[in-house]
Amino acid sequence: DADVTQTPRNRITKTGKRIMLECSQTKGHDRMYWYRQDPGLGLRLIYYSFDVKDINKGEISDGYSVSRQAQAKFSLSLESAIPNQTALYFCATSEIPGQGPNTDTQYFGPGTRLTVL
Amino acid sequence: AQSVAQPEDQVNVAEGNPLTVKCTYSVSGNPYLFWYVQYPNRGLQFLLKYITGDNLVKGSYGFEAEFNKSQTSFHLKKPSALVSDSALYFCAVRDVYNFNKFYFGSGTKLNVKP
């Protein structure tokens, strides 16, 4: 987990506020992902990025935006937070598919617990 | 649509007994399947994966999983459970059309009692 870090680890905010969650990795991976975890729903993909120039929407991108500032940094923003965005958010990285023995394995950060009041 | 399902929210087992955590999948084509474990206040950790080859896959911490194509299942198993195995377990499948996307199950909480 130390290879993928997330800040903050916990955040409480109010409805309508803008908030940014940050992710950094030292694994040298090109692929980075943002997921949210809700009880009983597992992990759902919000956005993913191939590299700094390539960002793609996942299953539940509405209400979220992302920025890939560098290979190592991938930020998730909630422009106007709402209570149903209360969840545990995970960043993950992976190697390019087809390269290396650990291809397809995702490496997760420790998560950010976000509460929107 | 591609997906995995974990039919049990929770599995309880006594320490020393064998454990099974169930997963079924729905994909068109050959599936790439994964198991991850999440300990409290931690991110998910990779346990094992099936891509091709032997139907029995061995992974970390003594876990293994059996791929069954006819039953479209990929159950996680361990011959002798430890209390320290108590955690949340997720099954996942890679998108067959977009190798960069993965779909996760809803998770199964494993409780191993002394």
Side-chain angles (χ1 to χ4, degrees):
Chain A
D1 283 4
D3 296 324
V4 184
T5 58
Q6 293 182 235
T7 55
R9 293 294 311 277
N10 288 282
R11 181 71 182 267
I12 300 174
T13 191
K14 295 182 178 180
T15 297
K17 294 292 187 181
R18 183 180 188 275
I19 185 167
M20 178 181 288
L21 309 182
E22 299 187 345
C23 176
S24 294
Q25 54 116 346
T26 58
K27 299 193 74 67
H29 291 165
D30 287 319
R31 271 44 177 175
M32 296 189 74
Y33 306 78
W34 275 106
Y35 292 91
R36 66 176 278 175
Q37 182 182 19
D38 298 277
L41 294 178
L43 274 71
R44 292 180 291 167
L45 182 63
I46 305 173
Y47 273 95
Y48 61 103
S49 169
F50 295 168
D51 60 36
V52 295
K53 298 179 181 178
D54 195 335
I55 292 176
N56 303 272
K57 293 183 177 181
E59 304 170 70
I60 54 165
S61 58
D62 288 347
Y64 301 94
S65 62
V66 291
S67 172
R68 185 81 182 267
Q69 301 95 323
Q71 188 204 37
K73 295 184 182 297
F74 193 35
S75 300
L76 176 72
S77 293
L78 287 68
E79 296 300 326
S80 180
I82 56 177
N84 76 0
Q85 292 177 312
T86 294
L88 192 52
Y89 290 84
F90 286 104
C91 175
T93 74
S94 70
E95 294 179 347
I96 297 173
Q99 295 187 0
N102 294 320
T103 296
D104 301 316
T105 299
Q106 295 201 302
Y107 298 86
F108 286 82
T112 294
R113 186 169 296 280
L114 176 66
T115 303
V116 184
L117 301 177
Chain B
Q2 302 171 76
S3 64
V4 290
Q6 295 180 242
E8 302 158 315
D9 291 336
Q10 185 168 299
V11 170
N12 299 311
V13 65
E15 187 174 32
N17 284 358
L19 70 87
T20 299
V21 182
K22 295 179 180 178
C23 173
T24 59
Y25 65 89
S26 174
V27 300
S28 54
N30 296 320
Y32 280 32
L33 295 158
F34 305 81
W35 276 103
Y36 286 83
V37 59
Q38 183 182 25
Y39 297 102
N41 300 314
R42 301 286 297 277
L44 279 70
Q45 297 176 35
F46 170 76
L47 273 181
L48 51 80
K49 65 182 176 184
Y50 171 82
I51 296 177
T52 187
D54 290 341
N55 290 340
L56 187 64
V57 180
K58 294 189 182 297
S60 306
Y61 311 122
F63 283 93
E64 56 190 25
E66 185 172 11
F67 173 70
N68 188 317
K69 188 171 184 177
S70 63
Q71 297 185 4
T72 62
S73 66
F74 188 55
H75 299 333
L76 182 70
K77 300 182 179 184
K78 188 173 183 181
S80 179
L82 300 172
V83 172
S84 57
D85 292 329
S86 298
L88 193 54
Y89 290 81
F90 290 95
C91 181
V93 65
R94 194 185 76 176
D95 191 310
V96 298
Y97 302 112
N98 183 341
F99 291 176
N100 298 287
K101 293 177 70 174
F102 299 82
Y103 302 97
F104 286 80
S106 55
T108 299
K109 189 171 189 298
L110 174 65
N111 295 313
V112 182
K113 298 185 178 181

